[in-house]
Amino acid sequence: MANHDLMLGQSHNLALRQNQRLVLGHDHNLGLTQNHDLELGQTHDHHLGLGQAHDHDLGLCHSHDHGLDLGQRHDQEGDVGHSYGHDNEFGIDQKPDHGDNELALSENNELTVSENQEFDDSLALAVDDSHDMGIDPARDLQHSQMVVSLPPVLQVRNSNPSYELAVGQEFPDVKSCRRALRDTAIALHFEIQTIKSDKTRFTAKCASEGCPWRIHAAKLPGVPTFTIRTIHETHTCGGIAHLGHQQASVQWVANTVEQRLRENPNCKPKEILEEIHRVHGITLSYKQAWRGKERIMAAMRGSFEEGYRLLPQYCEQIKRTNPGSIALVYGNTTDNSFQRLFISFQASIYGFLNACRPLLGLDRTFLKSKYLGTLLLATGFDGDGALFPLAFGVVDEENDENWMWFLSELHNLLEINTENMPRLTILSDRQKGVVDGVEANFPTAFHGFCMRHLSESFRKEFNNTMLVNLLWEAAHALTVIEFESKILEIEEISQDAAYWIRRIPPRLWATAYFEGMRFGHLTANIVESLNSWILEASGLPIIQMMECIRRQLMIWFNERRETSMQWGSILVPSAENRVAEAIEYARTYQVLRANEAEFEVISREGTNIVDIRNRCCLCRGWQLYGLPCAHAVAALLSCRQTVHRFTESCFTVATYRKAYSQTIHPIPDKSLWKELFEGDPDANKAVQVIIHPPKSLKPPGRPRKKRVRAEDRGREKRVVHCSRCNQTGHFRTTCAAPI
């Protein structure tokens, strides 16, 4: 029976019939508790006998490596009470006055304990493979499969020198004493129960019933130091028989994972649980890990509530460190709970008004923080086509009123500095609040719909990839004839789809009909372009989120400014490449000159008329993209004009450098804000305003993975019809009407 440990459960009897031997072998564990000797003989009362007169039952289990546990309770028939330890081995607690012992079989079949060998917690009792053990036939068990139906043992107390407590050990205060005892209890897998804890005394005992372990610490006279005065007995319990630990509080979890979270703030609660189980051997709930992480993150970055409370001070710091910037916070008039925040840095304002394309994209993303909310974004595009964030707004919820407010603040920002600025082109989704806000605040601007939002709505309605592709081709078409041909192709596939498209005026989305200059931008996919870091910031407290955005802008401005200093061309790289490509095509074109400004350019695709004075071509490429098309390049080269002189100024390297010429400056740590406001009465008055968190809280449960598009909000659901009873509101498969 090698590799089979013998375990006795509570109220199970062991009987070995006559002429059957119990031999000690290897790989079988026997755990003995203190003050109990086990003897095997034929004539001894109150012992476990070998003979015919004593038939006792033996309950055994099939699993391997089960330690034999002999507990403290012996009855007259040889029954033995048992307790259990982790990993199916029982640690043996002995009184200090017991010497080292050896477990052996004497010649008269008695199992005795001698004193010449070490007897420790891992002592094993084994049954030799070459001998049989007699089992009561009523049990009908195999020699190699003996089981005891016992509850699984989950944790066992073990010794760990790093967590040993000793009389005379000192601690700075009672909190340090409690922490040390808590860590010891978790490390050694036993739970404690506090008897008394105040400023001068601390007493606790083992939470297991009947275990004599007890500790007492007290404050030394005249000093704050706490000292362990007494530690009574050793443990007689077998450790904890459940998964968690009473002392593994949320604060303990926070202290345990603090260093890891400082190194990797994105560590998930699930990973925290796995590490605690691996290192400490206990299993906690997901909520404990989540709360522990939140406690550390709040200490590192500040709480969500503190973020709203410090918003007025933060806005003042922005205006102090970045003069010319706009930072406004608004609270609800009734309870001063947070409602709106608007921030735009002076460096962004200057760069957009003096160097960027006259194009503005509007987008939003829903925040994932404790109090939710929505981040509104207004973003320009630099000469090289990269995003150039201009303004940010945080609102308690997305609605028409908040969009109207955000666009009003944006209008006020631009109105101050728009003396020489051309007419704006604004791209957004089709949400009613945005459309009304643009019309009210930018009546002269060209407003175009973002094709990403439009195509997603179209896909949801018809779910046909071919139709969606044709819709995009129609949007990219440069001429009305090409646009109409694509719409006819859609109509041939689905008249409903063509009708759906024609209901939306093409001047709002189709390139061929759009009156403004979009420079080839059909989408305002700001959030998607910023996805790598904007989603991470959206879960932070509001000041931390805005600081994450500010730092990213500061890095962008510096990197792009330094990169542009290395460019030796006249145009930015993307524009330089497009012009070079147009020159290659222009070499094959035939150019006929009508006068000093008008040209006829003949190519394989047809004939186009170019007017270099008005910078236009019949193909509309020059007007739409701001760069000479291949026909215009052919005309310019024919009259020996420099092509680069006929591009929009925003594409030049000099203008690009002007876009990033200003600096977004750092903001001091919040611990210094009060000190920096001293001597400034206006700032002191502003920061006295207290902003409370908004009333919206993050709902319980798993957040939805698929976002609800703004254009789908408030839209009436399609009415379903039952083909069985001809009623609405349900399908045939769920119809309950009688036939």
Side-chain angles (χ1 to χ4, degrees):
M1 285 182 56
N3 300 322
H4 292 276
D5 297 338
L6 184 60
M7 175 180 285
L8 298 183
Q10 289 184 341
S11 70
H12 288 77
N13 301 326
L14 173 65
L16 300 179
R17 288 199 291 271
Q18 195 172 14
N19 299 326
Q20 292 172 323
R21 293 178 299 168
L22 179 64
V23 183
L24 286 178
H26 55 278
D27 296 332
H28 297 273
N29 298 329
L30 170 63
L32 298 181
T33 59
Q34 58 186 3
N35 292 332
H36 294 285
D37 300 328
L38 177 63
E39 298 181 1
L40 297 181
Q42 295 180 350
T43 60
H44 296 284
D45 294 333
H46 310 292
H47 295 288
L48 186 60
L50 295 175
Q52 295 177 346
H54 301 282
D55 287 334
H56 302 288
D57 297 332
L58 175 63
L60 302 171
C61 62
H62 292 283
S63 59
H64 292 234
D65 296 332
H66 294 284
L68 175 57
D69 250 3
L70 300 184
Q72 299 177 359
R73 180 176 55 79
H74 292 259
D75 56 34
Q76 293 184 356
E77 295 299 323
D79 292 347
V80 185
H82 310 290
S83 58
Y84 312 98
H86 263 293
D87 298 329
N88 299 325
E89 294 182 3
F90 185 83
I92 300 173
D93 291 330
Q94 291 180 293
K95 289 185 177 180
D97 57 352
H98 283 237
D100 296 332
N101 302 307
E102 177 188 3
L103 183 63
L105 272 179
S106 63
E107 293 181 358
N108 59 352
N109 293 330
E110 291 182 356
L111 184 63
T112 62
V113 179
S114 62
E115 298 182 357
N116 59 356
Q117 278 193 357
E118 182 180 358
F119 182 45
D120 58 23
D121 291 351
S122 60
L123 185 62
L125 173 67
V127 181
D128 191 271
D129 291 336
S130 61
H131 296 81
D132 297 329
M133 177 177 286
I135 308 299
D136 190 352
R139 290 295 180 187
D140 191 23
L141 298 175
Q142 297 294 333
H143 290 10
S144 62
Q145 294 180 332
M146 298 183 292
V147 300
V148 178
S149 299
L150 299 174
V153 180
L154 303 175
Q155 296 189 37
V156 101
R157 191 185 68 257
N158 53 5
S159 61
N160 190 332
S162 302
Y163 292 95
E164 287 183 356
L165 299 173
V167 174
Q169 190 172 347
E170 295 186 0
F171 303 96
D173 48 41
V174 68
K175 290 184 178 180
S176 301
C177 182
R178 285 200 299 261
R179 282 197 298 266
L181 183 56
R182 177 198 62 192
D183 294 342
T184 300
I186 292 174
L188 303 185
H189 299 300
F190 70 93
E191 292 180 333
I192 59 174
Q193 179 181 346
T194 302
I195 306 300
K196 176 172 274 301
S197 178
D198 55 31
K199 294 182 179 180
T200 60
R201 291 173 295 174
F202 178 76
T203 306
K205 68 173 186 176
C206 180
S208 297
E209 186 176 354
C211 183
W213 188 90
R214 186 183 180 94
I215 189 171
H216 174 70
K219 180 178 177 294
L220 293 175
V223 293
T225 308
F226 258 71
T227 304
I228 296 179
R229 298 294 183 87
T230 57
I231 301 179
H232 295 287
E233 300 287 348
T234 54
H235 288 277
T236 59
C237 60
I240 312 172
H242 57 82
L243 287 172
H245 198 289
Q246 185 178 348
Q247 273 67 55
S249 62
V250 172
Q251 186 59 46
W252 177 82
V253 174
N255 295 340
T256 302
V257 300
E258 179 177 3
Q259 185 59 35
R260 179 170 182 179
L261 287 175
R262 290 188 181 278
E263 296 172 357
N264 178 23
N266 296 323
C267 180
K268 297 179 180 179
K270 183 180 178 181
E271 297 171 353
I272 293 173
L273 290 177
E274 293 173 352
E275 180 174 345
I276 289 177
H277 180 74
R278 176 176 54 82
V279 176
H280 301 280
I282 58 177
T283 302
L284 304 178
S285 66
Y286 182 91
K287 186 175 182 180
Q288 279 180 288
W290 182 86
R291 290 176 63 193
K293 177 183 177 181
E294 285 299 302
R295 189 165 295 187
I296 291 299
M297 298 307 293
M300 291 169 52
R301 68 193 180 192
S303 65
F304 289 92
E305 293 76 13
E306 183 189 37
Y308 291 105
R309 181 174 58 84
L310 295 178
L311 269 179
Q313 299 182 39
Y314 179 66
C315 290
E316 289 299 318
Q317 283 296 321
I318 290 177
K319 290 184 283 189
R320 189 187 70 83
T321 57
N322 292 266
S325 300
I326 299 175
L328 305 169
V329 60
Y330 300 92
N332 193 298
T333 54
T334 56
D335 56 3
N336 222 33
S337 60
F338 173 80
Q339 195 171 12
R340 295 163 180 159
L341 173 70
F342 184 88
I343 292 177
S344 181
F345 293 97
Q346 187 273 339
S348 296
I349 298 172
Y350 177 86
F352 178 78
L353 293 173
N354 293 280
C356 285
R357 306 176 185 184
L359 179 66
L360 203 59
L362 303 176
D363 205 351
R364 53 87 179 95
T365 184
F366 300 114
L367 303 181
K368 300 177 182 179
S369 61
K370 181 178 179 180
Y371 293 96
L372 300 178
T374 305
L375 176 66
L376 310 180
L377 304 100
T379 303
F381 300 87
D382 64 23
D384 206 32
L387 289 176
F388 190 91
L390 173 62
F392 303 90
V394 182
V395 293
D396 52 356
E397 61 177 330
E398 184 189 20
N399 53 38
D400 295 350
E401 183 181 355
N402 281 333
W403 267 116
M404 184 67 74
W405 161 82
F406 180 71
L407 290 167
S408 174
E409 294 289 352
L410 196 60
H411 171 263
N412 294 337
L413 178 154
L414 296 175
E415 189 178 36
I416 303 173
N417 309 279
T418 50
E419 295 143 1
N420 301 321
M421 189 170 180
R423 289 177 65 182
L424 278 178
T425 295
I426 297 177
L427 299 177
S428 73
D429 63 17
R430 295 188 298 141
Q431 187 177 337
K432 185 178 183 300
V434 180
V435 174
D436 292 344
V438 170
E439 185 177 344
N441 293 284
F442 299 94
T444 61
F446 302 105
H447 190 192
F449 291 158
C450 172
M451 272 302 299
R452 178 178 58 82
H453 294 88
L454 189 66
S455 65
E456 283 298 315
S457 298
F458 185 73
R459 184 190 299 276
K460 183 178 180 181
E461 189 73 25
F462 299 101
N463 194 26
N464 187 312
T465 304
M466 183 179 294
L467 290 176
V468 173
N469 292 337
L470 287 172
L471 176 66
W472 277 95
E473 291 176 9
H476 279 103
L478 298 181
T479 62
V480 174
I481 296 176
E482 187 180 353
F483 171 83
E484 291 297 335
S485 68
K486 296 299 179 183
I487 297 299
L488 289 176
E489 288 185 46
I490 293 175
E491 192 171 13
E492 290 176 0
I493 299 173
S494 171
Q495 292 186 352
D496 291 341
Y499 174 72
W500 188 93
I501 294 172
R502 291 187 185 279
R503 284 187 307 158
I504 305 172
R507 61 180 176 81
L508 297 175
W509 60 276
T511 302
Y513 286 92
F514 192 74
E515 297 176 359
M517 183 180 289
R518 291 196 292 191
F519 299 92
H521 292 280
L522 293 181
T523 63
N525 55 339
I526 300 170
V527 174
E528 282 73 8
S529 301
L530 304 179
N531 191 51
S532 59
W533 58 274
I534 201 71
L535 289 181
E536 178 184 343
S538 66
L540 298 174
I542 187 166
I543 290 181
Q544 294 295 320
M545 177 184 70
M546 296 311 303
E547 276 296 274
C548 181
I549 292 173
R550 182 196 59 78
R551 292 187 183 109
Q552 185 64 55
L553 293 181
M554 183 176 67
I555 293 171
W556 275 356
F557 269 61
N558 181 65
E559 289 179 348
R560 294 174 183 178
R561 180 169 53 246
E562 291 183 349
T563 300
S564 66
M565 293 302 174
Q566 302 174 6
W567 294 341
S569 59
I570 298 176
L571 304 180
V572 297
S574 60
E576 196 73 39
N577 292 336
R578 293 199 62 170
V579 170
E581 185 180 346
I583 292 174
E584 287 298 319
Y585 282 110
R587 297 185 189 280
T588 62
Y589 295 169
Q590 180 183 0
V591 180
L592 304 176
R593 185 169 185 173
N595 52 44
E596 67 278 0
E598 196 172 3
F599 299 82
E600 181 178 347
V601 181
I602 304 172
S603 65
R604 293 181 180 179
E605 294 78 20
T607 301
N608 285 276
I609 299 174
V610 176
D611 186 345
I612 62 174
R613 181 185 293 115
N614 297 315
R615 298 191 178 188
C616 64
C617 176
L618 198 60
C619 76
R620 302 188 71 239
W622 198 355
Q623 302 92 296
L624 294 175
Y625 294 103
L627 293 169
C629 60
H631 313 110
V633 169
L636 291 170
L637 292 177
S638 67
C639 60
R640 298 182 181 180
Q641 293 288 337
T642 303
V643 175
H644 297 85
R645 290 180 51 236
F646 290 84
T647 61
E648 293 291 331
S649 62
C650 62
F651 292 109
T652 64
V653 171
T655 303
Y656 182 93
R657 290 171 180 168
K658 185 185 294 186
Y660 296 101
S661 61
Q662 303 293 308
T663 300
I664 295 181
H665 300 282
I667 293 177
D669 185 78
K670 61 184 178 182
S671 60
L672 303 174
W673 290 354
K674 286 186 179 180
E675 184 180 328
L676 294 171
F677 287 143
E678 291 181 1
D680 189 345
D682 295 333
N684 283 324
K685 184 178 179 181
V687 300
Q688 288 176 359
V689 179
I690 301 298
I691 301 295
H692 301 292
K695 296 179 180 179
S696 58
L697 274 172
K698 195 170 186 178
R702 184 184 296 273
R704 64 189 305 150
K705 293 183 178 180
K706 188 176 181 180
R707 71 174 186 175
V708 179
R709 292 184 298 273
E711 58 267 25
D712 295 334
R713 295 189 173 193
R715 188 171 69 172
E716 294 183 3
K717 294 184 177 180
R718 188 181 62 171
V719 178
V720 296
H721 185 270
C722 178
S723 60
R724 181 172 174 268
C725 66
N726 293 324
Q727 299 297 318
T728 59
H730 63 275
F731 293 102
R732 178 185 182 88
T733 54
T734 58
C735 181
I739 299 176

